[in-house]
Amino acid sequence: AGGRRILLTASAVELSYGVNMDMLRDKCATFCNMREKPAKQFGQTELVLNNRADALPLFAALANRNSRSTMLNDSSSRSHCFVTLTLLEAEGPAGLETVRESR
């Protein structure tokens, strides 16, 4: 059977002290391909989001970012965080479907 299928995923990667870390899996290392435009991360956990409750682990991970106070800022972040939402749409019969991706 053909038809249209939609999949939404989310990932979170923290760049801290020059290392990319998967925020959804014990801060394991991830990799970045800077030759792609836009650059694309590899190796991070992708959460499938079917409903609101599926996003809760993402919010919990974001609350656990590395931070440390400085003389100028009590809650300075010593990292950057990249949250990626990926929307996939597949249409057509299985094995012959056309897949479109947006992130």
Side-chain angles (χ1 to χ4, degrees):
R4 184 172 153 207
R5 294 165 309 284
I6 303 282
L7 178 68
L8 178 64
T9 67
S11 63
V13 173
E14 180 178 24
L15 176 59
S16 180
Y17 303 105
V19 178
N20 295 347
M21 297 176 290
D22 184 346
M23 296 184 68
L24 298 170
R25 190 178 54 203
D26 298 324
K27 297 200 176 186
C28 292
T30 65
F31 308 95
C32 186
N33 181 350
M34 297 300 287
R35 292 182 184 185
E36 284 194 39
K37 299 293 181 213
K40 188 169 184 179
Q41 291 280 342
F42 295 95
Q44 73 275 16
T45 302
E46 299 252 356
L47 288 178
V48 174
L49 303 177
N50 291 311
N51 55 53
R52 290 182 193 178
D54 290 341
L56 293 177
L58 179 66
F59 296 129
L62 294 175
N64 193 25
R65 289 186 55 214
N66 287 327
S67 63
R68 183 180 72 199
S69 64
T70 66
M71 292 175 66
L72 297 175
N73 187 339
D74 287 342
S75 60
S76 175
S77 171
R78 290 285 174 224
S79 67
H80 298 278
C81 178
F82 303 94
V83 175
T84 304
L85 297 175
T86 303
L87 181 64
L88 296 164
E89 177 188 37
E91 195 163 18
L96 299 173
E97 62 263 325
T98 301
V99 177
R100 293 188 292 194
E101 178 180 353
S102 177
R103 51 182 174 107

